[in-house]
Amino acid sequence: MITTYTSYTMISRDLPKSLARVAEKPDVARETDYYLSKIGGIKTVDDFMADTRIYNYALKAHGLEDMAYAKAFIRKVLTEGVDGEKDFANQLSDPRYKSLVESLNFAAYGTTATSFDKAQKGVVDKFQRQTLEEEAGEENMGVRLALYFERTAPTIKSGMEILADDALSEVVRTTLSLPDEIIGADLDRQAKYIEDAIDIKDFQDPAKVGKFLERFTAMWEINNPSDNYDPLAPFNNPSSGISTDLLISINNLKLGGK
């Protein structure tokens, strides 16, 4: 049997080839062609919300596919933008919403928002990477988690950011051999423990991330035998990686709540 680490490295070490294979899949190519043919004609948030295929494609590209039903929420995110400290996306601990706005920044650029490369090829690249990770997860969710962590690691700045994302925290808890019971502990104490155990700056170094994921994949196979583990658990929360209760708790901390 191919190990989790071997499967992960087979994809990661030749990522362009892996992404090209995904891009050529008929369903992916069909939706990508549609997106690229239509996105330039999307001039407003209303236009974006009205085209279901465009809307779903962009949300999946940003890991927000499971939030597609929350149209009023997504509309608020896009309408307010990210330029102001109090803008809705900036108040959310989950960075995926800010990333969505940065790709489709109607608030800042109005009718020209979709003319930029980040709204076109940038979103396509994200969609293909997201699809690659999901496909890997169908065979081995540990591989999906490793690929997700590898992609996200350079953006991590604190232990609290790890806690705010169930998939990231799953990787860290597994790597550090932390018991599931720690999830119920005080958030600040959890964050401090993570920052004491890991030098967050190491996640800026691809070689150190690789070493971290080598340990993660080894621990994954020990701790998560396929016959009794629910592999989709880290990704089944409404925001595709962050639990609602944890999001609320962290947002309250960030906003000065008790």
Side-chain angles (χ1 to χ4, degrees):
M1 180 180 294
I2 298 177
T3 66
T4 300
Y5 181 71
T6 300
S7 297
Y8 156 67
T9 55
M10 286 174 63
I11 296 171
S12 180
R13 70 187 176 194
D14 196 353
L15 195 57
K17 182 177 180 180
S18 299
L19 289 168
R21 176 181 54 77
V22 168
E24 292 170 358
K25 295 181 64 176
D27 56 336
V28 175
R30 181 172 59 251
E31 292 306 308
T32 295
D33 288 345
Y34 181 85
Y35 181 84
L36 289 174
S37 70
K38 298 291 186 180
I39 189 60
I42 301 294
K43 301 300 183 182
T44 66
V45 174
D46 286 340
D47 292 343
F48 174 72
M49 306 293 290
D51 191 319
T52 301
R53 288 175 71 180
I54 291 290
Y55 174 78
N56 288 338
Y57 189 99
L59 260 62
K60 177 175 178 176
H62 294 83
L64 294 168
E65 185 175 17
D66 289 342
M67 288 297 287
Y69 72 92
K71 289 195 171 183
F73 186 93
I74 298 300
R75 181 184 294 276
K76 183 174 177 63
V77 166
L78 289 171
T79 300
E80 294 193 12
V82 291
D83 289 342
E85 183 179 345
K86 295 184 178 180
D87 289 339
F88 189 46
N90 289 333
Q91 298 298 305
L92 299 171
S93 297
D94 188 336
R96 282 180 277 268
Y97 298 104
K98 184 177 180 180
S99 177
L100 175 66
V101 175
E102 289 171 343
S103 294
L104 300 166
N105 200 339
F106 294 103
Y109 302 114
T111 59
T112 65
T114 61
S115 65
F116 298 104
D117 186 67
K118 60 186 176 183
Q120 298 189 22
K121 185 178 182 300
V123 172
V124 169
D125 289 345
K126 287 180 171 67
F127 183 90
Q128 292 171 353
R129 176 62 187 253
Q130 185 74 20
T131 303
L132 173 66
E133 292 173 12
E134 291 180 2
E135 182 185 86
E138 292 174 3
E139 297 293 328
N140 185 328
M141 188 51 62
V143 177
R144 179 179 177 181
L145 285 165
L147 289 168
Y148 177 78
F149 191 92
E150 177 189 56
R151 170 166 61 88
T152 311
T155 69
I156 299 172
K157 300 296 188 295
S158 68
M160 194 64 79
E161 288 184 9
I162 292 171
L163 293 175
D165 186 311
D166 285 348
L168 294 180
S169 58
E170 175 82 0
V171 172
V172 170
R173 286 199 310 273
T174 300
T175 306
L176 299 179
S177 300
L178 300 178
D180 290 340
E181 289 74 15
I182 196 173
I183 297 173
D186 176 78
L187 286 173
D188 288 328
R189 291 179 63 187
Q190 289 187 60
K192 185 178 187 307
Y193 182 90
I194 289 171
E195 291 171 0
D196 287 344
I198 300 169
D199 187 346
I200 301 291
K201 294 192 296 295
D202 285 351
F203 294 151
Q204 304 298 314
D205 184 337
K208 291 180 179 178
V209 171
K211 286 293 185 182
F212 188 83
L213 290 175
E214 184 175 359
R215 176 170 173 77
F216 161 71
T217 52
M219 296 303 298
W220 174 267
E221 294 196 344
I222 294 172
N223 296 336
N224 298 289
S226 59
D227 59 345
N228 62 10
Y229 178 70
D230 178 5
L232 292 177
F235 291 93
N236 272 343
N237 290 304
S239 59
S240 187
I242 176 172
S243 67
T244 303
D245 290 342
L246 186 55
L247 175 62
I248 293 171
S249 297
I250 294 174
N251 283 337
N252 283 341
L253 289 171
K254 185 176 180 181
L255 298 175
K258 301 296 184 183

